[in-house]
Amino acid sequence: MSRERVAGLADLKAGEAIQVKSGGRNIALAREASGEVHAVADLCTHAAVSLSEGDVEGCAIECWLHGSAFDLRTGAPTAPPAITPVDVYAVTVEGDDVYVDTDIIVNASSSAASSAASKEN
C-alpha cells in the first residue's frame, strides 16, 4: 500500500491545485470551493503539461496550455482537445492531513497517463 501524507489542508486553498508526489508519481491535488479534496495524475493527456498549474472550477481542473478540462471525480475529459481520461487516486483527509494512495486508482483511465506522470521529474 502506498498511502502517504502529501499535504496539510492549510497548504491547499479552496479552488486551487498544487503538485505533490506520492508513490513516485506527480499528483495534482485539488480542493473544490466546497472543500472536497481530489487527487489526479498531474499530466494532461493531450499534451505533457502539469495540470496542477491550471485552474480549478467546480469539480474540474483545466489545463492551462490548450484548455482541456478533466472531472476531478472521474478523470474524464470535459473539454477538448483531450479525449483520454487522467487517473484519479484515492484521497483520505484525517484532521488537517491529506493522504493519497496511488495503489488505488478510482477510475478506469489511461494507465499511460499514470506511467508518464510517474516518469516525470
Side-chain angles (χ1 to χ4, degrees):
M1 185 169 166
S2 66
R3 179 180 181 265
E4 62 185 281
R5 184 187 185 281
V6 294
L9 280 177
D11 301 326
L12 191 59
K13 296 179 183 164
E16 294 185 2
I18 60 172
Q19 184 184 79
V20 296
K21 287 199 183 269
S22 180
R25 295 182 170 98
N26 289 334
I27 306 291
L29 192 65
R31 189 172 187 187
E32 292 182 58
S34 68
E36 190 169 351
V37 179
H38 303 275
V40 299
D42 191 23
L43 193 64
C44 179
T45 58
H46 168 255
V49 175
S50 174
L51 290 174
S52 62
E53 296 177 20
D55 294 324
V56 175
E57 294 187 22
C59 193
I61 190 165
E62 182 180 29
C63 177
W64 63 269
L65 186 58
H66 295 117
S68 292
F70 301 89
D71 186 304
L72 289 165
R73 296 165 296 202
T74 67
T78 59
I83 59 172
T84 304
V86 293
D87 284 339
V88 177
Y89 301 103
V91 174
T92 307
V93 178
E94 295 176 4
D96 186 48
D97 298 318
V98 180
Y99 296 87
V100 171
D101 189 336
T102 55
D103 285 344
I104 302 175
I105 300 174
V106 295
N107 67 342
S109 78
S110 164
S111 61
S114 178
S115 295
S118 68
K119 292 178 185 174
E120 186 181 19
N121 290 337

